[in-house]
Amino acid sequence: MDNLSATEVRGLRVTRGGREVLSGIDAQIRAGRITGLLGPSGSGKSTLIRAIVGVQRISAGSVTVLGHPAGAAVLRTQVGYAGQTAAVYPDLSVAENLRYFAAVRGDDPAEVQRVIDLVGLGGREKQLASRLSGGQLSRVSLAVALLGRSRLIVLDEPTVGLDPVLRAELWELFHRLAGQGVSLLVSSHAMDEAERCDELMLLREGRLLFHDTLARLLERTGEPDAERGFISLVGNMEVAA
Amino acid sequence: MSGARTWATARRVLQQLGHDRRTVALLVLFPSVLMVLLRYVLDQPERFDRTGPALIGIFPFTIMFLVTSVVTLRERRDGTLERLMTMPLGRLDFLLGYALAFGLTALLQVGVVVLVTVAGLGLEVGGSVGLLVLVAALDALLGTALGLFTSAFARSEFQAVQFMPLVVMPQVFLCGLFVPREAMTPVLEAVSNVFPLSYAVEAVAAIAAGTDQNLVRDLGIVAAAALLALGLGAVTLRRKTA
Ligand SMILES: Nc1ncnc2c1ncn2[C@@H]1O[C@H](COP(=O)(O)OP(=O)(O)OP(=O)(O)O)[C@@H](O)[C@H]1O
Ligand SMILES: [Mg+2]
């Protein structure tokens, strides 16, 4: 593995509930870039993400993250993760949630305020997570993933349910992080977010349809935007099949 | 394993309880209310002296079992456990953090129930009251450990609550509360011999009666059962799941 790739996935197969959910994924996620993981609902985005952060049992293949097998003990402070549901404690305040996760990671306590401010929740430190709006809650969860300056940050649909202004602000934040050398993997099924990513991975029914830049997708399909490019790719696959 | 992470987890669980005043009130006061009720149902002090001590062991065991099952099930369901498993938290840090937090809570709960039962309801305690509190807290810890273990087999809070009749009730029936264990048919007595709650109740009863009969052995068995349940709990706690 060269030091340009933050994650290397080889022949990854995952079976969940008796069905093959990922059928042989090969991919390299490049360091210091934002890789967008796109695909329809049920295509396996969350499963792939879970495999990369090392909580998904896999049936074949390998996942290597920052040079170590996914889930290795050394990675546990270097990989930040926010799953698709806001995995925080509803009966704790915003600050208590972050203080706990920071303590578990062994981070500097000053990290707590830094990440609260990063996600725009300054002033709500004492509010119970259960009393936050949906978008605020998902930002608490995002803040946990930003703790301690991880080298790889993996976010499963972090912008769902946010207004356009807030979404733009978060994407700015992601770009700032990438500028500092952090690698990001961000899933979404909002195709308009494809434009904000450095690279795209298009997943469909457990297979990787495409993995390159948006420009290459448009060039290859002759379509004007990611959404139509994706539909055109799927159409070509079906014609070929 | 790390002391700092275990303590951080215990503190977090206590903070969660701290935000839930109603649960704290139920945890701390409810066993005492039940004791008062029981005292007047049994009506005669001698009958209360016979049953009361066993219940001082049974209430914290049952309540902590339930609370722990539901709380850990929520951790699995809400994704917080998955998130913790991507962080440098040892499985034992997680389990011992819970045991510590609920053990401290149990100490408070049992302290109140013993105070009410001994000072308010006139239960005769032959042995040391402090020891009685400690032993009852150990019973609560056993409940916590069993709750941590069995919650791994529940898919919903509904199922987790169903484990109470499955795991707790048979132990209560056979622990000697209703019929002395020696008076049971040999088969039932043999079954009661493998249930840890039997020894927990025996220990509480021995202290109340002022005898130290089998006390060390009983406490050893309860502690070993709690450790075994924690160990099994650690095995069921997987970093990678399907
Ligand atoms: N816990 C589970 N047990 C069994 N099957 C599951 C489980 N979770 C997901 N699946 C199945 O795996 C497949 C991929 O699911 P996954 O959550 O990875 O999709 P996704 O691309 O993230 O979808 P979405 O955009 O809706 O979040 C789906 O068919 C789903 O039904
Ligand atoms: Mg998903």
Side-chain angles (χ1 to χ4, degrees):
Chain A
M1 189 175 109
D2 58 79
N3 32 4
L4 284 180
S5 73
T7 295
E8 187 161 302
V9 180
R10 285 276 160 262
L12 176 64
R13 289 177 183 274
V14 172
T15 304
R16 297 183 91 175
R19 283 184 45 241
E20 190 164 77
V21 173
L22 294 180
S23 320
I25 304 279
D26 289 284
Q28 276 194 25
I29 293 166
R30 301 188 51 192
R33 303 285 180 94
I34 303 180
T35 302
L37 178 57
L38 305 178
S41 177
S43 57
K45 300 182 296 293
S46 296
T47 307
L48 178 57
I49 280 179
R50 279 171 41 86
I52 290 170
V53 298
V55 296
Q56 176 66 53
R57 212 178 287 154
I58 67 178
S59 47
S62 68
V63 182
T64 310
V65 177
L66 305 170
H68 303 275
V74 285
L75 293 174
R76 288 183 198 141
T77 50
Q78 297 185 29
V79 177
Y81 167 55
Q84 192 165 357
T85 55
V88 297
Y89 299 98
D91 43 2
L92 288 184
S93 72
V94 172
E96 284 167 343
N97 265 295
L98 285 156
R99 249 181 259 136
Y100 174 54
F101 288 113
V104 166
R105 291 178 42 103
D107 290 330
D108 182 343
E111 280 295 287
V112 171
Q113 195 59 49
R114 184 184 72 93
V115 296
I116 289 176
D117 292 337
L118 270 184
V119 299
L121 286 174
R124 300 210 178 265
E125 290 83 356
K126 293 212 166 80
Q127 202 160 330
L128 279 187
S130 60
R131 305 252 166 86
L132 295 172
S133 74
Q136 290 168 337
L137 187 66
S138 74
R139 279 183 283 151
V140 181
S141 185
L142 170 64
V144 177
L146 302 177
L147 280 169
R149 301 162 201 267
S150 299
R151 287 172 61 200
L152 171 67
I153 294 179
V154 183
L155 307 171
D156 200 352
E157 308 210 13
T159 59
V160 164
L162 299 183
D163 61 272
V165 177
L166 206 51
R167 263 165 98 179
E169 281 175 15
L170 286 183
W171 277 101
E172 251 170 58
L173 168 66
F174 299 160
H175 279 283
R176 268 205 317 276
L177 289 168
Q180 294 160 11
V182 177
S183 316
L184 290 100
L185 177 64
V186 181
S187 82
S188 171
H189 48 225
M191 288 290 168
D192 56 317
E193 297 198 312
E195 295 159 26
R196 305 180 187 267
C197 302
D198 301 317
E199 296 204 358
L200 297 180
M201 291 171 81
L202 296 183
L203 208 57
R204 182 169 174 271
E205 293 179 358
R207 288 173 201 282
L208 196 56
L209 283 193
F210 176 87
H211 183 184
D212 209 326
T213 60
L214 175 62
R216 289 293 301 275
L217 175 69
L218 304 185
E219 188 184 315
R220 198 164 123 188
T221 58
E223 298 288 350
D225 59 41
E227 180 151 2
R228 276 180 269 190
F230 188 40
I231 292 170
S232 152
L233 264 188
V234 171
N236 290 345
M237 297 261 303
E238 264 150 22
V239 169
Chain B
M1 227 195 93
S2 122
R5 295 189 167 97
T6 302
W7 173 241
T9 303
R11 194 186 53 189
R12 183 265 294 173
V13 173
L14 289 172
Q15 276 171 345
Q16 284 179 286
L17 280 178
H19 284 295
D20 188 352
R21 298 270 160 77
R22 198 176 298 177
T23 296
V24 172
L26 282 173
L27 276 177
V28 174
L29 299 178
F30 198 52
S32 305
V33 173
L34 284 178
M35 276 297 192
V36 174
L37 180 66
L38 182 80
R39 168 67 187 78
Y40 290 100
V41 168
L42 292 178
D43 212 26
Q44 292 149 2
E46 312 82 63
R47 283 166 71 184
F48 185 60
D49 283 346
R50 247 193 343 260
T51 345
L55 287 170
I56 291 181
I58 292 172
F59 284 151
F61 169 79
T62 311
I63 293 171
M64 288 305 171
F65 174 85
L66 263 182
V67 171
T68 313
S69 314
V70 170
V71 173
T72 45
L73 188 87
R74 266 194 222 158
E75 291 246 20
R76 287 175 204 271
R77 190 198 55 198
D78 295 350
T80 45
L81 180 63
E82 175 185 283
R83 172 167 244 164
L84 288 172
M85 291 292 105
T86 68
M87 294 183 176
L89 184 76
R91 296 186 290 181
L92 275 180
D93 296 332
F94 180 82
L95 292 170
L96 293 178
Y98 265 101
L100 188 60
F102 284 143
L104 290 174
T105 312
L107 220 46
L108 184 65
Q109 177 186 59
V110 171
V112 172
V113 80
V114 167
L115 185 74
V116 168
T117 317
V118 174
L121 302 175
L123 181 85
E124 294 286 347
V125 175
S128 144
V129 172
L131 193 59
L132 188 65
V133 171
L134 277 182
V135 171
L138 186 64
D139 296 354
L141 220 49
L142 176 67
T144 295
L146 280 176
L148 283 168
F149 171 55
T150 54
S151 77
F153 302 100
R155 296 252 182 291
S156 62
E157 273 164 314
F158 191 56
Q159 285 181 10
V161 173
Q162 299 300 313
F163 280 131
M164 143 110 168
L166 201 72
V167 177
V168 174
M169 293 304 249
Q171 298 203 56
V172 171
F173 289 165
L174 295 181
C175 73
L177 173 67
F178 298 111
V179 178
R181 295 203 297 131
E182 311 78 55
M184 293 174 187
T185 64
V187 176
L188 289 183
E189 194 186 347
V191 175
S192 95
N193 282 340
V194 299
F195 283 162
L197 186 66
S198 305
Y199 302 94
V201 166
E202 196 171 272
V204 176
I207 294 168
T211 66
D212 288 351
Q213 212 189 351
N214 292 339
L215 189 59
V216 174
R217 185 206 65 176
D218 287 346
L219 291 184
I221 291 176
V222 174
L227 284 178
L228 180 68
L230 276 180
L232 291 172
V235 173
T236 62
L237 211 59
R238 293 279 162 77
R239 282 206 189 259
K240 289 190 199 305
T241 55

